[in-house]
PDB file of all heavy atoms in Angstrom:
ATOM      1  N   PHE T  97       3.391   3.949  -9.276  1.00 91.00           N
ATOM      2  CA  PHE T  97       2.139   3.455  -9.794  1.00 91.00           C
ATOM      3  C   PHE T  97       0.951   3.919  -8.997  1.00 91.00           C
ATOM      4  O   PHE T  97      -0.190   3.799  -9.347  1.00 91.00           O
ATOM      5  CB  PHE T  97       2.109   1.902  -9.764  1.00 91.00           C
ATOM      6  CG  PHE T  97       2.604   1.347  -8.494  1.00 91.00           C
ATOM      7  CD1 PHE T  97       1.828   1.261  -7.333  1.00 91.00           C
ATOM      8  CD2 PHE T  97       3.932   0.980  -8.346  1.00 91.00           C
ATOM      9  CE1 PHE T  97       2.333   0.767  -6.127  1.00 91.00           C
ATOM     10  CE2 PHE T  97       4.394   0.436  -7.176  1.00 91.00           C
ATOM     11  CZ  PHE T  97       3.611   0.402  -6.031  1.00 91.00           C
ATOM     12  N   ILE T  99      -0.808   5.169  -4.877  1.00 91.00           N
ATOM     13  CA  ILE T  99      -0.865   4.945  -3.439  1.00 91.00           C
ATOM     14  C   ILE T  99      -1.491   3.627  -3.120  1.00 91.00           C
ATOM     15  O   ILE T  99      -2.550   3.250  -3.661  1.00 91.00           O
ATOM     16  CB  ILE T  99      -1.582   6.116  -2.764  1.00 91.00           C
ATOM     17  CG1 ILE T  99      -0.903   7.444  -3.019  1.00 91.00           C
ATOM     18  CG2 ILE T  99      -1.791   5.860  -1.248  1.00 91.00           C
ATOM     19  CD1 ILE T  99      -1.682   8.625  -2.480  1.00 91.00           C
ATOM     20  N   VAL T 100      -0.870   2.866  -2.166  1.00 93.00           N
ATOM     21  CA  VAL T 100      -1.479   1.700  -1.653  1.00 93.00           C
ATOM     22  C   VAL T 100      -1.882   1.995  -0.223  1.00 93.00           C
ATOM     23  O   VAL T 100      -1.060   2.289   0.605  1.00 93.00           O
ATOM     24  CB  VAL T 100      -0.456   0.525  -1.677  1.00 93.00           C
ATOM     25  CG1 VAL T 100      -1.055  -0.710  -1.064  1.00 93.00           C
ATOM     26  CG2 VAL T 100       0.066   0.256  -3.079  1.00 93.00           C
ATOM     27  N   GLY T 101      -3.164   1.926   0.004  1.00 83.00           N
ATOM     28  CA  GLY T 101      -3.620   2.294   1.417  1.00 83.00           C
ATOM     29  C   GLY T 101      -4.765   3.318   1.200  1.00 83.00           C
ATOM     30  O   GLY T 101      -5.191   3.565   0.089  1.00 83.00           O
ATOM     31  N   TYR T 103      -4.484   2.290   5.443  1.00 95.00           N
ATOM     32  CA  TYR T 103      -4.803   1.176   6.290  1.00 95.00           C
ATOM     33  C   TYR T 103      -4.840   1.769   7.755  1.00 95.00           C
ATOM     34  O   TYR T 103      -3.824   2.277   8.195  1.00 95.00           O
ATOM     35  CB  TYR T 103      -3.854   0.020   6.170  1.00 95.00           C
ATOM     36  CG  TYR T 103      -4.244  -1.088   7.040  1.00 95.00           C
ATOM     37  CD1 TYR T 103      -5.097  -2.130   6.597  1.00 95.00           C
ATOM     38  CD2 TYR T 103      -3.663  -1.274   8.348  1.00 95.00           C
ATOM     39  CE1 TYR T 103      -5.453  -3.191   7.417  1.00 95.00           C
ATOM     40  CE2 TYR T 103      -4.030  -2.320   9.149  1.00 95.00           C
ATOM     41  CZ  TYR T 103      -4.894  -3.286   8.716  1.00 95.00           C
ATOM     42  OH  TYR T 103      -5.265  -4.315   9.484  1.00 95.00           O
ATOM     43  N   MET T 123      -1.719  -6.964   8.246  1.00 97.00           N
ATOM     44  CA  MET T 123      -1.955  -5.884   7.323  1.00 97.00           C
ATOM     45  C   MET T 123      -1.267  -6.188   5.979  1.00 97.00           C
ATOM     46  O   MET T 123      -1.836  -6.054   4.880  1.00 97.00           O
ATOM     47  CB  MET T 123      -1.425  -4.569   7.904  1.00 97.00           C
ATOM     48  CG  MET T 123      -1.646  -3.333   7.054  1.00 97.00           C
ATOM     49  SD  MET T 123      -0.343  -2.775   5.953  1.00 97.00           S
ATOM     50  CE  MET T 123       1.137  -2.744   6.966  1.00 97.00           C
ATOM     51  N   LEU T 124      -0.005  -6.674   6.014  1.00 97.00           N
ATOM     52  CA  LEU T 124       0.710  -7.017   4.784  1.00 97.00           C
ATOM     53  C   LEU T 124       0.002  -8.105   3.987  1.00 97.00           C
ATOM     54  O   LEU T 124      -0.197  -8.001   2.756  1.00 97.00           O
ATOM     55  CB  LEU T 124       2.173  -7.492   5.083  1.00 97.00           C
ATOM     56  CG  LEU T 124       3.127  -6.420   5.621  1.00 97.00           C
ATOM     57  CD1 LEU T 124       4.386  -7.104   6.123  1.00 97.00           C
ATOM     58  CD2 LEU T 124       3.418  -5.425   4.545  1.00 97.00           C
ATOM     59  N   GLU T 125      -0.402  -9.148   4.662  1.00 97.00           N
ATOM     60  CA  GLU T 125      -1.027 -10.306   3.985  1.00 97.00           C
ATOM     61  C   GLU T 125      -2.445 -10.033   3.597  1.00 97.00           C
ATOM     62  O   GLU T 125      -2.892 -10.495   2.523  1.00 97.00           O
ATOM     63  CB  GLU T 125      -0.888 -11.564   4.865  1.00 97.00           C
ATOM     64  CG  GLU T 125       0.505 -12.042   5.048  1.00 97.00           C
ATOM     65  CD  GLU T 125       0.662 -13.211   6.059  1.00 97.00           C
ATOM     66  OE1 GLU T 125      -0.236 -13.354   6.938  1.00 97.00           O
ATOM     67  OE2 GLU T 125       1.583 -13.981   5.897  1.00 97.00           O
ATOM     68  N   GLY T 126      -3.212  -9.412   4.463  1.00 97.00           N
ATOM     69  CA  GLY T 126      -4.590  -9.229   4.248  1.00 97.00           C
ATOM     70  C   GLY T 126      -4.999  -7.975   3.507  1.00 97.00           C
ATOM     71  O   GLY T 126      -6.162  -7.796   3.014  1.00 97.00           O
ATOM     72  N   PHE T 127      -4.114  -6.983   3.460  1.00 97.00           N
ATOM     73  CA  PHE T 127      -4.453  -5.704   2.816  1.00 97.00           C
ATOM     74  C   PHE T 127      -3.493  -5.386   1.726  1.00 97.00           C
ATOM     75  O   PHE T 127      -3.912  -5.088   0.584  1.00 97.00           O
ATOM     76  CB  PHE T 127      -4.479  -4.596   3.892  1.00 97.00           C
ATOM     77  CG  PHE T 127      -4.766  -3.264   3.360  1.00 97.00           C
ATOM     78  CD1 PHE T 127      -6.115  -2.945   3.015  1.00 97.00           C
ATOM     79  CD2 PHE T 127      -3.784  -2.335   3.161  1.00 97.00           C
ATOM     80  CE1 PHE T 127      -6.370  -1.645   2.462  1.00 97.00           C
ATOM     81  CE2 PHE T 127      -4.059  -1.071   2.577  1.00 97.00           C
ATOM     82  CZ  PHE T 127      -5.332  -0.757   2.274  1.00 97.00           C
ATOM     83  N   VAL T 128      -2.162  -5.330   2.036  1.00 97.00           N
ATOM     84  CA  VAL T 128      -1.197  -4.816   1.010  1.00 97.00           C
ATOM     85  C   VAL T 128      -1.106  -5.710  -0.215  1.00 97.00           C
ATOM     86  O   VAL T 128      -1.241  -5.274  -1.311  1.00 97.00           O
ATOM     87  CB  VAL T 128       0.167  -4.608   1.652  1.00 97.00           C
ATOM     88  CG1 VAL T 128       1.239  -4.237   0.643  1.00 97.00           C
ATOM     89  CG2 VAL T 128       0.153  -3.537   2.788  1.00 97.00           C
ATOM     90  N   GLU T 129      -0.888  -6.998   0.048  1.00 97.00           N
ATOM     91  CA  GLU T 129      -0.757  -7.894  -1.119  1.00 97.00           C
ATOM     92  C   GLU T 129      -2.003  -7.894  -1.986  1.00 97.00           C
ATOM     93  O   GLU T 129      -1.884  -7.775  -3.231  1.00 97.00           O
ATOM     94  CB  GLU T 129      -0.420  -9.332  -0.599  1.00 97.00           C
ATOM     95  CG  GLU T 129      -0.097 -10.234  -1.832  1.00 97.00           C
ATOM     96  CD  GLU T 129       0.463 -11.572  -1.377  1.00 97.00           C
ATOM     97  OE1 GLU T 129       0.150 -12.024  -0.300  1.00 97.00           O
ATOM     98  OE2 GLU T 129       1.167 -12.137  -2.202  1.00 97.00           O
ATOM     99  N   PRO T 130      -3.194  -8.061  -1.455  1.00 97.00           N
ATOM    100  CA  PRO T 130      -4.396  -7.982  -2.261  1.00 97.00           C
ATOM    101  C   PRO T 130      -4.502  -6.631  -3.050  1.00 97.00           C
ATOM    102  O   PRO T 130      -4.941  -6.594  -4.229  1.00 97.00           O
ATOM    103  CB  PRO T 130      -5.542  -8.196  -1.318  1.00 97.00           C
ATOM    104  CG  PRO T 130      -5.012  -8.956  -0.115  1.00 97.00           C
ATOM    105  CD  PRO T 130      -3.583  -8.422  -0.061  1.00 97.00           C
ATOM    106  N   GLN T 131      -4.196  -5.517  -2.387  1.00 95.00           N
ATOM    107  CA  GLN T 131      -4.288  -4.238  -3.002  1.00 95.00           C
ATOM    108  C   GLN T 131      -3.337  -4.166  -4.229  1.00 95.00           C
ATOM    109  O   GLN T 131      -3.695  -3.669  -5.308  1.00 95.00           O
ATOM    110  CB  GLN T 131      -3.879  -3.123  -2.016  1.00 95.00           C
ATOM    111  CG  GLN T 131      -4.936  -2.805  -1.034  1.00 95.00           C
ATOM    112  CD  GLN T 131      -6.103  -1.931  -1.576  1.00 95.00           C
ATOM    113  OE1 GLN T 131      -6.129  -1.614  -2.734  1.00 95.00           O
ATOM    114  NE2 GLN T 131      -6.992  -1.584  -0.729  1.00 95.00           N
ATOM    115  N   LEU T 132      -2.077  -4.628  -4.020  1.00 96.00           N
ATOM    116  CA  LEU T 132      -1.151  -4.614  -5.148  1.00 96.00           C
ATOM    117  C   LEU T 132      -1.648  -5.476  -6.329  1.00 96.00           C
ATOM    118  O   LEU T 132      -1.557  -5.064  -7.468  1.00 96.00           O
ATOM    119  CB  LEU T 132       0.201  -5.075  -4.667  1.00 96.00           C
ATOM    120  CG  LEU T 132       0.967  -4.104  -3.729  1.00 96.00           C
ATOM    121  CD1 LEU T 132       2.210  -4.840  -3.045  1.00 96.00           C
ATOM    122  CD2 LEU T 132       1.392  -2.880  -4.408  1.00 96.00           C
ATOM    123  N   ARG T 133      -2.122  -6.637  -5.946  1.00 96.00           N
ATOM    124  CA  ARG T 133      -2.659  -7.524  -7.034  1.00 96.00           C
ATOM    125  C   ARG T 133      -3.780  -6.898  -7.747  1.00 96.00           C
ATOM    126  O   ARG T 133      -3.928  -7.064  -9.025  1.00 96.00           O
ATOM    127  CB  ARG T 133      -3.011  -8.908  -6.432  1.00 96.00           C
ATOM    128  CG  ARG T 133      -1.786  -9.622  -5.788  1.00 96.00           C
ATOM    129  CD  ARG T 133      -1.588 -10.991  -6.273  1.00 96.00           C
ATOM    130  NE  ARG T 133      -0.471 -11.644  -5.560  1.00 96.00           N
ATOM    131  CZ  ARG T 133       0.718 -11.763  -6.122  1.00 96.00           C
ATOM    132  NH1 ARG T 133       0.907 -11.374  -7.357  1.00 96.00           N
ATOM    133  NH2 ARG T 133       1.658 -12.351  -5.463  1.00 96.00           N
ATOM    134  N   ARG T 134      -4.703  -6.174  -7.083  1.00 94.00           N
ATOM    135  CA  ARG T 134      -5.785  -5.485  -7.738  1.00 94.00           C
ATOM    136  C   ARG T 134      -5.323  -4.435  -8.700  1.00 94.00           C
ATOM    137  O   ARG T 134      -5.931  -4.112  -9.659  1.00 94.00           O
ATOM    138  CB  ARG T 134      -6.749  -4.872  -6.682  1.00 94.00           C
ATOM    139  CG  ARG T 134      -7.828  -5.811  -6.144  1.00 94.00           C
ATOM    140  CD  ARG T 134      -8.940  -5.042  -5.431  1.00 94.00           C
ATOM    141  NE  ARG T 134      -8.552  -4.788  -4.038  1.00 94.00           N
ATOM    142  CZ  ARG T 134      -8.641  -5.639  -3.036  1.00 94.00           C
ATOM    143  NH1 ARG T 134      -9.016  -6.854  -3.261  1.00 94.00           N
ATOM    144  NH2 ARG T 134      -8.308  -5.297  -1.842  1.00 94.00           N
ATOM    145  N   LEU T 135      -4.150  -3.812  -8.326  1.00 93.00           N
ATOM    146  CA  LEU T 135      -3.585  -2.829  -9.227  1.00 93.00           C
ATOM    147  C   LEU T 135      -2.773  -3.493 -10.381  1.00 93.00           C
ATOM    148  O   LEU T 135      -2.206  -2.788 -11.234  1.00 93.00           O
ATOM    149  CB  LEU T 135      -2.607  -1.927  -8.388  1.00 93.00           C
ATOM    150  CG  LEU T 135      -3.234  -0.931  -7.415  1.00 93.00           C
ATOM    151  CD1 LEU T 135      -2.195  -0.284  -6.511  1.00 93.00           C
ATOM    152  CD2 LEU T 135      -4.029   0.126  -8.175  1.00 93.00           C
ATOM    153  N   GLY T 136      -2.720  -4.770 -10.408  1.00 94.00           N
ATOM    154  CA  GLY T 136      -2.029  -5.552 -11.462  1.00 94.00           C
ATOM    155  C   GLY T 136      -0.499  -5.545 -11.234  1.00 94.00           C
ATOM    156  O   GLY T 136       0.278  -5.672 -12.132  1.00 94.00           O
ATOM    157  N   ILE T 137      -0.109  -5.438  -9.964  1.00 94.00           N
ATOM    158  CA  ILE T 137       1.307  -5.333  -9.644  1.00 94.00           C
ATOM    159  C   ILE T 137       1.716  -6.660  -8.901  1.00 94.00           C
ATOM    160  O   ILE T 137       1.081  -7.035  -7.901  1.00 94.00           O
ATOM    161  CB  ILE T 137       1.634  -4.144  -8.702  1.00 94.00           C
ATOM    162  CG1 ILE T 137       1.322  -2.872  -9.475  1.00 94.00           C
ATOM    163  CG2 ILE T 137       3.054  -4.144  -8.230  1.00 94.00           C
ATOM    164  CD1 ILE T 137       1.240  -1.629  -8.654  1.00 94.00           C
ATOM    165  N   ASP T 138       2.803  -7.243  -9.394  1.00 96.00           N
ATOM    166  CA  ASP T 138       3.364  -8.462  -8.735  1.00 96.00           C
ATOM    167  C   ASP T 138       4.239  -8.026  -7.621  1.00 96.00           C
ATOM    168  O   ASP T 138       5.296  -7.379  -7.893  1.00 96.00           O
ATOM    169  CB  ASP T 138       4.153  -9.209  -9.751  1.00 96.00           C
ATOM    170  CG  ASP T 138       4.782 -10.503  -9.166  1.00 96.00           C
ATOM    171  OD1 ASP T 138       4.532 -10.824  -7.946  1.00 96.00           O
ATOM    172  OD2 ASP T 138       5.634 -11.112  -9.885  1.00 96.00           O
ATOM    173  N   PRO T 139       3.934  -8.227  -6.363  1.00 96.00           N
ATOM    174  CA  PRO T 139       4.743  -7.816  -5.216  1.00 96.00           C
ATOM    175  C   PRO T 139       6.205  -8.274  -5.320  1.00 96.00           C
ATOM    176  O   PRO T 139       7.108  -7.612  -4.912  1.00 96.00           O
ATOM    177  CB  PRO T 139       4.080  -8.391  -3.975  1.00 96.00           C
ATOM    178  CG  PRO T 139       2.680  -8.608  -4.427  1.00 96.00           C
ATOM    179  CD  PRO T 139       2.723  -8.973  -5.809  1.00 96.00           C
TER     180      PRO T 139
END
Side-chain angles (χ1 to χ4, degrees):
F97 47 82
I99 296 173
V100 178
Y103 181 88
M123 185 262 313
L124 289 170
E125 293 176 333
F127 179 77
V128 175
E129 187 172 26
Q131 287 280 5
L132 289 169
R133 299 231 183 256
R134 272 194 279 281
L135 290 170
I137 297 166
D138 175 9

